[in-house]
Every structure is written in C-alpha cells, then in structure tokens.
Amino acid sequence: MSTEIVGHWIDGAEVVGDSGRAADVFDPATGEVARSVALAGPAEVDRAVASAVAAFPGWRDTALARRTRILFAFRHLLDEAADEVAEVITAEHGKVVADARGEVARGLEVVEFACGIGHLLKGGHTENASTGVDVHSVRQPLGPVAVISPFNFPAMVPLWFVPIAIAAGNTVVLKPSEKDPSAALLLARLWQRAGLPDGVFTVLHGDKVAVDGLLEHPGIKAVSFVGSTPVARYVHERASAAGKRVQALGGAKNHMVVLPDADLEQTADAAVSAGFGSAGERCMAISVVVAVGPVADPLVAAIAERARSLRTGDGRRGCDMGPLVTGAHRDKVAGYVAEGQRAGATVVVDGREVAPDADGAGFFLGPTLLDHVTPDMSVYTDEIFGPVLAVVRVDTYDEALALVNANRYGNGTAIFTRDGGAARRFENEVEVGMVGVNVPVPVPVAYYSFGGWKDSLFGDTHAHGAEGVHFFTRGKVVTSRWPDTVRRGVDLGFPRND
Ligand code: NAD
C-alpha cells in the first residue's frame, strides 16, 4: 500500500495541511488503496479562501488581453497533457481510457469557449439616451468563487466552470471529489505553467467539512455545485442563506423514448452506449428505455445481444466498460438489481455474474438489463448511477411522455423515431432541460448551456455558455453626462429621457 498523500494546491504549491484527516483513494480496477487524499479542516479552508481573496484585486484588474493569452496557453497545455490527465482519471475513477480522453476533450471545449472572453464580456452602449447623456453596461467579476464537483467527471465538470470564472476575472477555489482528487492537481499545475498568477486557482480537498466551510465563508461570493440531488438541495439552501449566488446541479434519471418506427439497430446501439458507457456513472446516462408498443420485444433482444458482447474489466486494457468507483457503490447498485428482481422485473442480462478482465478484487458489475420494470419499483424511482438499464413498456406516445414528465428529475432525455412531427412534439412537450432527437446523450456544446430542470438543478442558471458567463459576472449600467457649455440648472423632478 502506498503512503502517497494528495495535497491541496494553495498559493501555487501542493500542501498537505494540518487537519490530520485523510481519506483512501482506490484503484477501482484492482480494489486496492492507491494513495490517500488530505481532507481539509477549518484552517485549510481559511487558508485557501484567504489566498483566493488576496489574488482577486490583481486578477480582476489584469488586462483582458493578458487573461485571454493565459487561457490560450492553458488550452494548449491541456491538449498536450490530455493523455496524462486521462490516465489519472482512469486510475482513480475506473472509466476506460478512451472515455476519460473524451471527458478531457469536452472540458477543452469549454476552455476554447472561454478564450473568447473579450467578446463574451462586451456590454452595450447607447449614445444620446437623453440629450447629451450616454449609457453603457459592463459585466464585472464577483470575487472568489467556489466550485464543488462530483467524482464522475473529475476533469470535465471542474472545466465547465473554472475557465469561464477565471476568464471573467474571478478567483476560484475548487473542491473536487475526494474519491478521485488527482486530476484537479494536474489542472492546477497546468494553470501555473500557463502563467496564471498564484492564488487565482486553488484546490481544496475534503469532504463535508470543506464544503460547509466554503458555503459559510464570507470570502466566497458564489458557489457552483454538481453532485447528487440531496447534497445539491442542501448546498443551494445553505449557500443562498449565507447570501451567495448559487447554482447546484443534481442527479438524474434519463429516459429514452423509443417509438415503433425507430431504426431498431441504431436505437439498440445508442441505448447500450448511453446506458453502459462509463459504467452508467454519468449524469446524462440513459437509465430507462421507454419502449412504445410493438417495439419492446425486438428492442430488448437487440439490447441484450449487445450488452452480453461488452467486455468489462480494467480500463487500461482496452475493455468496453470499467469498474464502479468504490466497492460500496458497486454493492449498492447490485442491491438495486436484486430489489428489482424481487419486485417482479425480469433480469435479462445479469451483471452480477460478470467475469472481469482485471487483476485483484476490483469493483465490477457487468452490464445489466431489466425488463418489465414498473414506475413503482426502486430501480425506476431512484437514481442508481450504475450499469443498469431498465425497460418500461407503454402502449402510446402519450403514456411515454406522461411518464417522463411525472419523474422528479429533468436532466436529459431522448426520443428515437423517424417521425419528425412526433419528435417536434416531444421537444416541445417534455419537461426536461436537455433533449436529444435520435441522440442518446444530448450534452450541449460549450457555447450552449448545460443544465436540467426540476430536481436536477437548484438555482436558475445553467453551466457554461452564455449562462455560465452570466453566473460568474454581475451587471452594472453607467449613465454619464460630460460637462458641456450649456448649464441645465437644478431640477428635482425624476430624470426623464428627452
Ligand atoms: P455527491 O453529492 O456525493 O458529491 C458531490 C460533492 O459534494 C463532492 O465534492 C463531495 O465531497 C461533496 N459532498 C458529498 N456529501 C456531502 C454532504 N453531505 N455535504 C456537503 N458536501 C458533500 O455526488 P457524487 O457521488 O460525487 O457524484 C454523483 C452524483 O452527481 C450523481 O447524483 C450524478 O447524477 C450527479 N451529477 C450531476 C451532474 C449534472 O450536471 N446534473 C453532473 C455530474 C454528476
């Protein structure tokens, strides 16, 4: 067992801190403890925030041209280091290397978007709004902000927020998941190499103690959180009560509605890719296939055939699907399969019987397909976050739509059909934030915004795109009149524009 400790990144250097607390970090493919991560106590929280507070005035006043050059340099360095970052992600999260590489690529897209910050921060200007009076608007940074991220995208989710927050002139304290903390440190080193001044980007490792410390700290002006729904709700309430701006993205249960006219082969490919990619540990994973009418039998058969052919194992060995993140999580997911079976679902493909291609006792569960799932079963009601695809059979489009809309989550959904009219109707009627038409994982590109509805997001601003820029800035409108030769005298009336 290694004694390596992953430390915080404060003032441009890695520090372990004095809290005396640490957590194990596993290699999920072998089940072994690979290293440990320092867990911040109140003193480390104070130190991290103090560094971000001290760096803010200088960074906020740094010319946009210089900030942009640093963003470009970071983009270049991250692209060069993409394989290294992907390997670190696989070693701690478990997802296969190709998938980890995809995560870095999607993160890079947000960096590229943030490189256009000069354009994104442009305000409006009106000449002569009143006689001799001009009006213009600016958007200014908020100050030090906190980003709190989940285990399932240790690079991409921080990159949804950090490049935009920094480009806009804020300083950032990132609290990554304690389950896979090392990618964040790699990002910190790349930012430093790109020329970012120390203190503008800080990494604070920890658990609830660190999160609570950031939520309450008066130095933190805004919080971007991504994680499970109960914690997202808590973070939103607590940070709001402390007077902070907050966006808290939560859990999901994403439905894929399959109409009878859908292309069966393409739809089955899509269901398997979206259901079992990253072992189902994606907030945009498809976890429920809603099969409408006669499509159910052939679709279940086609999905089952593909699911059985997937190779599960160590993500470094070219397998299709890796392990789950921890042993406890694997057991919890397997427990849901057992509960579903007891409640009457048919286990068509049973991942509990998997023989993984890996050494040791990794946290594996193979692809699992449950048919005849009903909306009262826990495999349907709960976010499972594992490689478990549930098939719910309905008779009509209206029943399918009602099912999706009655669900407490509203992150992503997709419809598979050849009928443009049905797809257009679904697009309009479905109560979900991100919708795919024959696209199973409709993650918006960086210049659009990412976010769900209902219990999948608390707050009213989505991540990245224009909403991301909006979240990390506040507006100011300046009305100005420059002295001219004509004196207007005192006027106590409310200013009128004429
Ligand atoms: P999690 O809620 O357990 O943890 C998220 C973050 O909160 C971590 O940094 C963790 O240290 C911290 N945390 C955990 N418990 C806490 C508590 N009681 N008080 C304060 N902080 C706490 O989530 P996870 O298991 O790391 O990630 C998986 C979840 O994230 C899933 O529910 C998934 O759907 C969701 N997710 C959502 C999106 C989205 O965009 N909506 C994206 C990725 C993941």
Side-chain angles (χ1 to χ4, degrees):
M1 181 175 133
S2 164
T3 52
E4 183 198 340
I5 297 184
V6 181
H8 315 287
W9 184 265
I10 302 177
D11 285 330
E14 191 176 347
V15 287
V16 169
D18 306 317
S19 76
R21 296 196 310 129
D24 289 339
V25 178
F26 292 92
D27 177 342
T30 63
E32 281 167 12
V33 175
R35 56 191 66 82
S36 67
V37 57
L39 299 178
E44 285 77 27
V45 175
D46 279 344
R47 204 172 146 188
V49 178
S51 171
V53 168
F56 175 63
W59 182 243
R60 161 209 148 114
D61 289 338
T62 299
L64 262 178
R66 179 159 162 63
R67 283 193 234 153
T68 304
R69 277 197 292 274
I70 292 172
L71 262 291
F72 269 97
F74 177 72
R75 189 252 163 228
H76 177 69
L77 291 168
L78 180 57
D79 192 38
E80 266 184 358
D83 289 338
E84 187 191 351
V85 179
E87 277 162 31
V88 166
I89 293 170
T90 297
E92 294 185 350
H93 175 284
K95 65 178 74 173
V96 302
V97 173
D99 193 32
R101 188 66 183 73
E103 151 168 14
V104 178
R106 293 309 296 258
L108 267 167
E109 290 178 14
V110 185
V111 184
E112 286 158 4
F113 170 73
C115 284
I117 193 67
H119 178 72
L120 297 167
L121 287 184
K122 274 198 305 199
H125 185 100
T126 304
E127 186 188 39
N128 254 352
S130 183
T131 309
V133 173
D134 303 331
V135 180
H136 72 275
S137 65
V138 292
R139 294 205 68 87
Q140 297 187 329
L142 306 175
V145 301
V147 174
I148 301 163
S149 57
F151 81 84
N152 66 321
F153 284 109
M156 185 187 78
V157 166
L159 289 168
W160 280 352
F161 306 100
V162 174
I164 297 173
I166 286 180
N170 303 279
T171 56
V172 178
V173 178
L174 168 66
K175 206 303 281 173
S177 169
E178 62 275 39
K179 296 191 178 103
D180 42 17
S182 297
L185 274 191
L186 269 181
L187 297 181
R189 292 200 162 87
L190 295 177
W191 277 117
Q192 189 177 54
R193 282 178 56 205
L196 193 71
D198 292 345
V200 177
F201 180 60
T202 297
V203 178
L204 182 74
H205 291 298
D207 52 12
K208 182 172 168 56
V209 174
V211 173
D212 287 349
L214 290 170
L215 300 183
E216 291 295 325
H217 203 296
I220 294 292
K221 303 303 175 198
V223 177
S224 295
F225 171 91
V226 181
S228 58
T229 286
V231 185
R233 192 193 303 273
Y234 164 79
V235 165
H236 183 256
E237 282 173 10
R238 193 145 174 198
S240 302
K244 301 183 197 311
R245 183 178 290 196
V246 50
Q247 53 180 180
L249 285 68
K253 194 83 187 174
N254 304 317
H255 298 65
M256 174 172 167
V257 173
V258 184
L259 299 189
D261 68 346
D263 180 312
L264 192 72
E265 301 302 320
Q266 279 178 10
T267 306
D269 287 345
V272 170
S273 308
F276 304 125
S278 197
E281 290 172 330
R282 289 182 186 147
C283 63
M284 289 292 278
I286 291 293
S287 47
V288 182
V289 172
V290 187
V292 179
V295 80
D297 283 339
L299 182 62
V300 168
I303 293 174
E305 185 196 335
R306 287 163 175 75
R308 286 192 193 99
S309 74
L310 295 178
R311 203 156 63 86
T312 302
D314 190 322
R316 292 159 290 218
R317 294 190 182 178
C319 297
D320 298 305
M321 198 180 92
L324 281 93
V325 69
T326 60
H329 186 53
R330 187 264 322 273
D331 295 346
K332 186 172 165 199
V333 175
Y336 272 112
V337 178
E339 251 181 65
Q341 195 171 21
R342 271 198 300 277
T346 312
V347 184
V348 183
V349 182
D350 194 342
R352 293 168 297 183
E353 296 162 357
V354 73
D357 176 2
D359 301 325
F363 310 134
F364 290 99
L365 182 73
T368 300
L369 180 63
L370 300 179
D371 194 6
H372 299 287
V373 169
T374 51
D376 54 318
M377 295 180 187
S378 63
V379 278
Y380 177 79
T381 55
D382 296 4
E383 181 185 39
I384 297 179
F385 223 55
V388 179
L389 203 47
V391 178
V392 177
R393 295 172 177 238
V394 298
D395 292 328
T396 62
Y397 164 86
D398 287 327
E399 259 185 84
L401 179 75
L403 186 73
V404 181
N405 285 351
N407 198 274
R408 60 186 285 230
Y409 297 107
N411 213 41
T413 189
I415 186 164
F416 276 69
T417 179
R418 288 187 170 103
D419 181 340
R424 190 167 178 276
R425 210 183 132 189
F426 185 72
E427 214 180 295
N428 174 260
E429 294 174 336
V430 76
E431 291 168 13
V432 172
M434 293 171 282
V435 182
V437 176
N438 299 315
V439 172
V441 184
V443 175
V445 288
Y447 40 94
Y448 282 80
S449 297
F450 182 108
W453 288 12
K454 301 187 273 186
D455 278 3
S456 294
L457 189 142
F458 303 91
D460 57 10
T461 319
H462 293 192
H464 63 66
E467 295 196 34
V469 177
H470 193 90
F471 182 80
F472 287 117
T473 53
R474 51 186 170 172
K476 188 181 269 181
V477 181
V478 181
T479 305
S480 52
R481 183 206 309 267
W482 291 95
D484 57 24
T485 49
V486 183
R487 276 204 61 197
R488 282 159 209 285
V490 174
D491 180 356
L492 298 193
F494 194 68
R496 289 186 347 186
N497 292 322
D498 46 33

